Every structure is written in C-alpha cells, then in structure tokens.
Amino acid sequence: MPNFSQLFGGGGSGGGVYEQRVFVKSGTFIAPVNGLYLLSLIGGGGGGMRGGRGGAAAGFSQKLVQLAAGTAVNYTVGAGGQVNGGTGGTSTLTTTGVSMAATGGSPDTPGTASGGDINVTGGSSGNSRASGGGAVGVYGVTPAASLEGLNNGGAGVGSPGVLYGAPGTALGFVVSNTAEYSAGRLLLPIGRGGLIQEGSPRNGLPGGGGYWGYSSNGGNGGMFAGGGGTDATTSGGGEGGMFGGGGGGTTGQGSSVGGPGGQGGLIIEFMRGK
C-alpha cells in the first residue's frame, strides 16, 4: 500500500496528485512534501437544550499555505458540546507563520473563527424550544439560522430547517436522495436532509440537517449540519453532524434530552506540489 508521501507525489519534485486527510484527535501533522496545502479547521458544535433551543454550530477557518517537507502543523480538536446545552470546544492550529482558531458553538452563541483567509461564524439554532441545531459555514458564508418555532428540522449548510417540516439541505435544494459530496471532497457536501417517509432514515446526508422528531428522536445531522429537534417525552434531539453541527433541542417533557453537538476537526488537502 502506498504511504502518505507517495500519494502526494513523492519527494517534493512537483506533480503530486490531489489528496485529503481528516483529523478528529489532537496531534501533529508533518508535511510529507513541498507543496500548497489547504487547511480547514472546525470547532465543536453546541449541544441542544432540554426544554430549549438547539445548539449553534461551530466556527470555520480556512487557509491556503505553502509548506516545506518536514514542516510540523500542530493542532488541537474541540469536542462536541454535551447533551442538554453543552458548549463545543475550540480547535486551534499553529505552524510556521500561521495561527488559526475555530471556537465551539453553544445554544445561544455560534462559534467564531480567526487566523484564516476565510473565517466564518457558525449558523444559529432557532430561538425556541425544540428547534433544530445550526450548521457550519463550509461554503464560505454563515448559513441561515434555523427558523424559530417549536419542532424544527436541523439546518443544512445551504438552508434552514422548516417549522414542523423538512430539515435544511446542503445546497438549498435536493440534488438527489443519494448524493453526498461533489468531486469526492468532504468540503463540498451536497446531501439532502433527513426524510420522514415511513421506514426512511431521519438522518441527513453530508451537509443536510436531521428531520424533526415527531414523538421520536430527532434525526441526526449529516456532516457539518444540525440535528433535528423533537417533541418526544422519552427520546432526544438529533445529534449535530460530525465537524461542528449543533444538536437538536427538546420541549423538556418527560426524560427527553437535548442532542449532543458534533465533534470538531481538521481537514488538510494537498492542492499542488512544488
């Protein structure tokens, strides 16, 4: 099996192929070859509240950098906010001449970002009980906030969840019921939100929010997206999607719990050798 350096085109002489790597635990990345790298940093999503709103999404920071072979990129990854309103953790990254940060979301406050060429504030949850969680701005703009009102679907990265209805989607419309990413890039999610049809998953595909939980758990958000809220008395809000999505809130009845926020992370893409 080829090693990381071979996938990147070998010893730094140029002509390397495109590659992406995902990191969800704190550590150090060593650039294998000289080249242009795209660093995308996401904080942890906010947890949804019990008897309150969903969690807001994390901040998103992105920077294009030239790295020499052997350069160390040190990073910490923020955890997702815990159930019932926990605040997501902050992700940080430092390397030669670069210092980036993406803070986590909370129910009331979206995460922010700094140090990148692009720094995007996370999407808000709806300001009402059992609203869906917010989504991360991977397309370079802050996603629309989840709508206010009881029992929303989770926000997608391209549109909000709808009151007593469908969650948001990655692009603001549905490409297909199975599409996930464009060109295989994690940072180009094109997924739908969760479905309500009998037997269909309420969970969103990448970039799409979770469907709201009518007497059941809210659907989990797809990658970067918000979990659905719920009016169930014994179930919970949907989980925020991996990479900073906000968890869904609940009405606070019975033993229901707000959904946890999505884990933060770092995505490194090798764009061109030099």
Side-chain angles (χ1 to χ4, degrees):
M1 176 176 289
N3 61 34
F4 194 55
S5 179
Q6 289 170 328
L7 286 173
F8 274 1
S13 60
V17 298
Y18 170 83
E19 183 68 21
Q20 60 186 346
R21 284 290 182 267
V22 174
F23 303 91
V24 295
K25 294 184 178 180
S26 301
T28 300
F29 167 79
I30 305 297
V33 298
N34 299 334
L36 197 62
Y37 295 77
L38 184 64
L39 312 176
S40 299
L41 187 69
I42 309 107
M49 298 178 69
R50 181 180 185 275
R53 66 194 293 170
F60 173 80
S61 183
Q62 187 174 76
K63 190 171 183 67
L64 189 63
V65 298
Q66 185 75 39
L67 298 178
T71 300
V73 178
N74 301 301
Y75 59 91
T76 60
V77 171
Q82 296 183 359
V83 299
N84 297 336
T87 297
T90 295
S91 297
T92 64
L93 180 150
T94 58
T95 189
T96 305
V98 176
S99 180
M100 300 165 63
T103 69
S106 71
D108 297 319
T109 307
T112 60
S114 61
D117 300 322
I118 297 173
N119 300 295
V120 185
T121 298
S124 298
S125 60
N127 187 19
S128 54
R129 288 190 305 155
S131 65
V136 177
V138 293
Y139 283 119
V141 295
T142 298
S146 292
L147 302 182
E148 294 187 15
L150 186 65
N151 298 326
N152 286 349
V157 300
S159 61
V162 179
L163 174 63
Y164 287 112
T169 64
L171 298 177
F173 59 90
V174 176
V175 175
S176 78
N177 280 336
T178 58
E180 297 189 353
Y181 305 100
S182 177
R185 288 189 65 202
L186 298 181
L187 289 166
L188 293 178
I190 56 174
R192 57 155 175 80
L195 303 175
I196 194 173
Q197 288 90 341
E198 186 68 28
S200 296
R202 292 177 180 264
N203 301 336
L205 293 181
Y211 209 97
W212 74 283
Y214 176 69
S215 300
S216 66
N217 288 325
N220 299 333
M223 191 176 289
F224 308 114
T230 184
D231 65 358
T233 59
T234 58
S235 300
E239 298 178 8
M242 183 70 177
F243 296 130
T250 77
T251 59
Q253 303 177 76
S255 58
S256 63
V257 294
Q263 170 82 28
L266 169 65
I267 299 172
I268 298 180
E269 296 172 282
F270 179 75
M271 309 305 290
R272 185 175 68 242
K274 184 176 180 181

